[in-house]
């Protein structure tokens, strides 16, 4: 017989980041991770739906939240709104609660493209995305 697929609770917190290999090396964030068979995996209680073009999309159980800084990442930066990213990279307003089954409203004029200073909240771990240009302008250890 076939061996069962091992599944992990990590999918509740997982995200994927892809970067273009050529200029401008755009980085995008997507919800969900992979199981031991290299298939995208969402937990039983994760919100899932079929899109208008017949594709499946969904949200991780606890959500992959992203906040892009308003007006760039400088000493004058202001936080932008928190958004939730789907498996397919669509941007949604936050759900009523973090693990609610009903997704938030689609935000069509925003994208999953990471920019210097974007925060990725994985429900307990927060990642700060830095661009190569942003890192070039960051203070050195000696300056700090």
């Amino acid at each position: 017989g076939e061996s069962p697929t091992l599944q992990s609770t990590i999918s509740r917190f997982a995200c994927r980041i892809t970067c273009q290999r050529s200029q401008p090396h755009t980085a995008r964030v997507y919800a969900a991770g992979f199981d031991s068979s290299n298939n995208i995996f969402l937990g039983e209680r994760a919100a899932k739906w079929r899109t208008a073009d017949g594709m499946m999309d969904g949200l991780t159980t606890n959500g992959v939240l992203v906040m892009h800084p308003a007006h760039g990442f400088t000493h004058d930066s202001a936080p932008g709104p928190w958004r939730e990213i789907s498996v397919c990279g669509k941007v949604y307003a936050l759900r009523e609660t973090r693990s609610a089954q009903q997704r938030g409203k689609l935000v069509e004029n925003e994208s999953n493209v990471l920019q210097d200073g974007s925060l990725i909240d994985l429900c307990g771990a927060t990642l700060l995305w830095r661009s190569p240009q942003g890192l070039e302008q960051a203070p050195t250890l000696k300056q700090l």
Side-chain angles (χ1 to χ4, degrees), residues 6-12 41:
L6 297 176
Q7 297 177 346
S8 165
T9 58
I10 195 67
S11 67
R12 293 181 294 169
F41 175 74

Side-chain angles (χ1 to χ4, degrees), residues 102-116:
Q102 183 63 38
R103 68 182 183 262
K105 183 175 170 47
L106 180 65
V107 182
E108 296 192 45
N109 63 338
E110 295 182 26
S111 80
N112 64 335
V113 173
L114 295 171
Q115 55 194 20
D116 192 42

Side-chain angles (χ1 to χ4, degrees), residues 16 28-32 49-60 63-66 68 82-95 103-113:
R16 298 164 287 135
R28 296 177 182 273
V29 62
Y30 300 86
W49 62 91
R50 191 168 297 282
T51 63
D53 60 1
M55 300 284 293
M56 289 301 296
D57 201 357
L59 305 170
T60 59
V64 172
L65 308 185
V66 173
H68 302 298
W82 283 98
R83 302 294 191 204
E84 185 164 11
I85 307 299
S86 75
V87 170
C88 293
K90 301 290 186 191
V91 179
Y92 291 89
L94 299 183
R95 293 182 261 183
R103 68 182 183 262
K105 183 175 170 47
L106 180 65
V107 182
E108 296 192 45
N109 63 338
E110 295 182 26
S111 80
N112 64 335
V113 173

